[in-house]
């Protein structure tokens, strides 16, 4: 037995539908009584009693069938259920109307007419109930499938949100540990710079907390946040680090995931400065093509000292977040050639 379909009933709509059903039954009763009078000579009064009782119980059985199928769906023998339930109900209807109508109408000629039309009455009632049962069964099955699909989509959405949250939480310790190590190395030799770095780190982490519930932010907000991170790195590396940002104002309102640039920039600094005493110039550029914002981060690297990996946790987390948000695997591209490592980030336009 499957779970029942949960229905939200509007009282006004329910009363309206009930009134429409009653009017339809009265109309059918009128047509039947007129037909009995026109073609069989049955008096209108007698025919009306027959029609009202017959159609009243047909309507009651239709209501019973639809209401039952809204709560009970057999998991096996579905085809047999659709056939047998109307068959049993039509037989009971025939016997019940036989007793009631003939108890009210005491007429030998009418009794003969009623008996001769029993098979026709049974067939009409069965077809109505069979059609109602089949329609209700399909209707509620579709309702269940739609409900299951909604629950599946909601579950997938929650799982996606949980993974996104986990990825973002993993980035914070990853960056925090590096910053704390740098602060520790500065405390003895350059205490003022260490205090400055602690303050900047505090501002950076405070901004992280403010963005926990945001799915998308503007590029302008992301760049402001990125500058907080670069200020921290500037304290660590001083004049050795220079970042050139080339982004026109028209792109600053573009929506993108929060904290998506910081891991890429951290990767550029790591593979550009670590292990060397040379100065580093990182360039950041943006442009839009066909509803896609293309962000390019370019940093030099020493191919003799280290390979242009760029595939650590930071970039892997960015690629995974992009897939979860846009269901695409082609939004992050990396290449290394002639001493330059380039990361290209594509951000599709979204309406939020």
């Amino acid at each position: 037995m499957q779970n029942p379909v949960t229905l939200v009933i509007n009282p006004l709509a329910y009363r309206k539908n009930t009134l429409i059903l009653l009017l339809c039954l009265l109309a059918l009763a009128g047509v039947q009584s007129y037909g009995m009078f026109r073609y069989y000579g049955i008096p209108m009064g007698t025919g009306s009693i027959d029609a009202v009782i017959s159609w009243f119980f047909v309507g009651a059985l239709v209501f019973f069938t639809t209401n039952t199928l809204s709560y009970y769906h057999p998991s096996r023998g579905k085809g047999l259920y659709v056939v047998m339930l109307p068959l049993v109900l039509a037989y009971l209807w025939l016997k019940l109307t036989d007793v009631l109508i003939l108890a009210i109408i005491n007429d030998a000629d009418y009794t003969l007419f009623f008996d001769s039309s029993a098979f026709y009455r049974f067939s009409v009632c069965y077809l109505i109930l069979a059609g109602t049962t089949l329609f209700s069964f399909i209707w509620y099955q579709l309702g269940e499938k739609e409900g299951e699909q909604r629950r599946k989509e909601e579950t997938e959405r929650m799982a996606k949100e949980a993974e996104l949250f986990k990825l973002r939480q993993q980035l914070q310790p990853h960056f925090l540990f590096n910053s704390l190590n740098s602060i520790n190395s500065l405390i003895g030799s350059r205490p003022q710079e260490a205090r400055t770095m602690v303050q900047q780190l505090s501002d950076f982490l405070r901004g992280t907390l403010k963005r926990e519930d945001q799915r998308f932010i503007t590029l302008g907000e992301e760049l402001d946040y990125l500058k907080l991170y670069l200020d921290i790195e500037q304290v660590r590396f001083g004049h050795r680090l220079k970042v050139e940002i080339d982004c026109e104002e028209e792109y600053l309102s573009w929506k993108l995931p929060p904290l998506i640039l910081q891991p890429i920039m951290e990767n550029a600094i790591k593979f550009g400065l670590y292990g060397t005493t040379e100065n580093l110039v990182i360039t950041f550029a943006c442009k839009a093509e066909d509803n896609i914002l293309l962000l390019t981060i370019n940093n030099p690297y020493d191919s003799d000292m280290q390979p242009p990996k760029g595939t650590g946790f930071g970039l892997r987390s960015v690629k995974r977040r992009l897939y979860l948000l846009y269901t695409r695997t082609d939004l992050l591209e990396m290449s290394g050639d002639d001493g330059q490592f380039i990361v290209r980030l594509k951000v599709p336009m979204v309406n939020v």
Side-chain angles (χ1 to χ4, degrees):
M1 177 174 167
Q2 300 175 0
N3 294 328
V5 176
T6 302
L7 299 177
V8 178
I9 299 177
N10 186 326
L12 293 178
Y14 180 78
R15 286 196 292 268
K16 180 180 178 180
N17 293 336
T18 302
L19 179 61
I20 292 174
L21 176 61
L22 290 175
L23 292 175
C24 290
L25 293 175
L26 288 175
L28 290 171
V31 171
Q32 177 180 328
S33 59
Y34 176 77
M36 293 170 64
F37 170 75
R38 178 91 164 98
Y39 298 104
Y40 298 99
I42 304 296
M44 287 293 294
T46 302
S48 297
I49 294 174
D50 181 332
V52 169
I53 293 176
S54 299
W55 286 107
F56 172 80
F57 283 103
V58 167
L61 291 176
V62 167
F63 177 80
F64 168 78
T65 302
T66 55
N67 190 62
T68 299
L69 287 176
S70 68
Y71 291 98
Y72 174 73
H73 294 163
S75 57
R76 296 182 180 179
K78 295 178 181 178
L80 184 62
Y81 181 86
V82 172
V83 173
M84 292 303 300
L85 179 62
L87 195 65
V88 172
L89 293 178
Y91 178 78
L92 294 176
W93 171 86
L94 182 64
K95 292 301 180 182
L96 179 62
T97 54
D98 186 358
V99 172
L100 290 176
I101 294 174
L102 295 183
I104 297 173
I105 304 174
N106 188 11
D107 185 292
D109 293 336
Y110 179 78
T111 301
L112 181 62
F113 167 78
F114 187 92
D115 292 339
S116 63
S117 63
F119 179 76
Y120 170 78
R121 292 168 180 269
F122 173 81
S123 300
V124 170
C125 182
Y126 171 75
L127 291 175
I128 292 175
L129 293 177
T132 301
T133 302
L134 181 61
F135 176 80
S136 299
F137 185 79
I138 294 175
W139 177 268
Y140 291 120
Q141 286 291 314
L142 292 176
E144 280 192 347
K145 289 183 178 180
E146 183 179 351
E148 290 176 359
Q149 182 64 26
R150 284 198 302 268
R151 290 190 293 271
K152 180 180 178 181
E153 291 174 355
E154 181 65 16
T155 300
E156 291 177 350
R157 185 191 67 80
M158 293 176 64
K160 183 185 295 185
E161 292 292 340
E163 185 173 355
L164 284 169
F165 180 78
K166 178 182 177 182
L167 287 171
R168 288 169 59 177
Q169 292 302 305
Q170 286 175 328
L171 280 173
Q172 293 179 16
H174 180 73
F175 162 72
L176 182 59
F177 294 150
N178 291 336
S179 298
L180 290 177
N181 287 332
S182 296
I183 293 172
N184 182 57
S185 64
L186 293 174
I187 288 176
S189 59
R190 293 181 288 174
Q192 182 58 42
E193 292 183 6
R195 284 193 293 270
T196 301
M197 194 171 183
V198 169
Q199 182 60 48
Q200 291 171 336
L201 180 60
S202 175
D203 294 338
F204 181 84
L205 295 177
R206 187 180 297 110
T208 302
L209 294 175
K210 291 180 180 179
R211 287 164 172 77
E212 287 297 337
D213 297 327
Q214 293 179 276
R215 191 177 180 88
F216 294 98
I217 61 174
T218 65
L219 176 59
E221 293 173 321
E222 179 73 356
L223 289 178
D224 289 340
Y225 190 69
L226 182 63
K227 289 174 183 176
L228 289 175
Y229 164 73
L230 293 176
D231 288 341
I232 297 173
E233 297 291 21
Q234 196 72 51
V235 174
R236 297 171 64 186
F237 297 105
H239 67 277
R240 294 180 54 206
L241 173 62
K242 182 179 180 181
V243 179
E244 298 178 351
I245 297 178
D246 179 17
C247 187
E248 297 182 10
E249 188 174 351
E250 62 180 298
Y251 303 132
L252 297 182
S253 60
W254 200 284
K255 299 291 185 178
L256 73 168
L259 304 177
I260 203 74
L261 296 179
Q262 185 270 330
I264 301 176
M265 189 63 69
E266 183 177 2
N267 180 82
I269 294 173
K270 175 181 179 181
F271 290 99
L273 280 176
Y274 284 35
T276 180
T277 59
E278 299 295 328
N279 295 341
L280 173 68
V281 178
I282 300 175
T283 59
F284 175 89
C286 57
K287 64 178 181 178
E289 296 178 354
D290 300 326
N291 292 328
I292 296 288
L293 180 65
L294 178 61
L295 306 175
T296 304
I297 297 178
N298 187 328
N299 67 274
Y301 73 95
D302 189 345
S303 58
D304 295 330
M305 296 185 62
Q306 58 184 25
K309 298 178 181 179
T311 56
F313 170 75
L315 292 185
R316 283 189 286 109
S317 69
V318 169
K319 193 166 187 176
R320 181 59 180 169
R321 286 179 64 194
L322 291 171
Y323 173 75
L324 292 173
L325 289 168
Y326 303 103
T327 63
R328 291 178 57 176
T329 58
D330 61 337
L331 298 181
L332 187 67
E333 299 176 353
M334 295 162 284
S335 62
D337 190 22
D338 296 331
Q340 295 291 321
F341 185 72
I342 303 173
V343 177
R344 295 181 179 88
L345 172 64
K346 300 176 183 177
V347 182
M349 178 179 288
V350 294
N351 296 318
V352 293

